Amino acid sequence: MRTDDDRKHQRAEAAFMLRREDSLRALNQRIERLAHALQLDLKREGAIDRLIRQVKTPSPPSNAESYSGPERRARALDGTERRRKDMLFFELRGLVVLRYELVSAYASQYGSQAMMLMIESVDLHVAHIGPVAAAGAERAVSSN
């Protein structure tokens, strides 16, 4: 027979797992948005491995080199866009590694079956709402 303490513990554990799932869902959505912005298809075989192994040096800030004349603005804009993409790439790479670490930790803590259920739920949510739509919905909620 279950006591009230057992039920409270189960409810607390379920709420804790839902928060973990929400965190993983938000992380996956950010990864999807970054991949979309960088025009990377992370679903292609080996794409994530290549992303993790790829080492880039960030572009210098656009004001690092001095240009004069009419090409100054064009080069500054080019450098700014390249730097922005480099920063998005570094964020994407870091978040993919973070996701791997979280999934590994959750699997060892809660078991592989519970982790698979959580991943399936997260994937279904992202597939249903879409990463770009989810980003718009998050911004709309946070601005209210």
Side-chain angles (χ1 to χ4, degrees):
M1 190 162 143
R2 292 188 178 184
T3 65
D4 284 340
D5 287 341
D6 290 339
R7 286 188 201 109
K8 285 180 185 177
H9 178 72
Q10 283 181 332
R11 282 194 300 269
E13 196 170 294
F16 183 74
M17 289 298 287
L18 284 175
R19 286 193 303 273
R20 295 277 194 199
E21 186 175 322
D22 287 343
S23 296
L24 191 59
R25 181 178 297 123
L27 181 62
N28 279 357
Q29 288 171 340
R30 180 65 181 156
I31 288 170
E32 290 287 331
R33 288 190 308 269
L34 287 168
H36 180 74
L38 293 168
Q39 299 175 348
L40 296 175
D41 182 9
L42 296 181
K43 294 187 183 2
R44 281 191 9 223
E45 187 173 333
I48 292 179
D49 287 337
R50 283 190 302 277
L51 173 73
I52 291 171
R53 286 187 175 84
Q54 187 173 0
V55 178
K56 284 185 170 187
T57 49
S59 299
S62 61
N63 60 0
E65 300 177 78
S66 60
Y67 296 104
S68 61
E71 71 179 20
R72 179 178 183 186
R73 178 166 168 74
R75 288 196 181 230
L77 289 175
D78 178 54
T80 301
E81 179 63 18
R82 187 175 52 243
R83 184 162 174 77
R84 184 187 74 81
K85 285 188 176 185
D86 285 349
M87 299 309 281
L88 292 177
F89 174 82
F90 287 121
E91 182 182 357
L92 174 63
R93 187 171 178 248
L95 292 178
V96 166
V97 171
L98 175 64
R99 178 177 61 186
Y100 172 79
E101 294 293 327
L102 282 176
V103 168
S104 296
Y106 291 171
S108 66
Q109 189 173 7
Y110 305 115
S112 58
Q113 180 129 5
M115 192 65 239
M116 290 305 296
L117 290 173
M118 187 184 297
I119 289 172
E120 286 175 10
S121 174
V122 167
D123 288 346
L124 282 173
H125 176 79
V126 171
H128 177 70
I129 193 168
V132 177
E138 287 172 5
R139 279 194 286 276
V141 168
S142 65
S143 66
N144 287 336

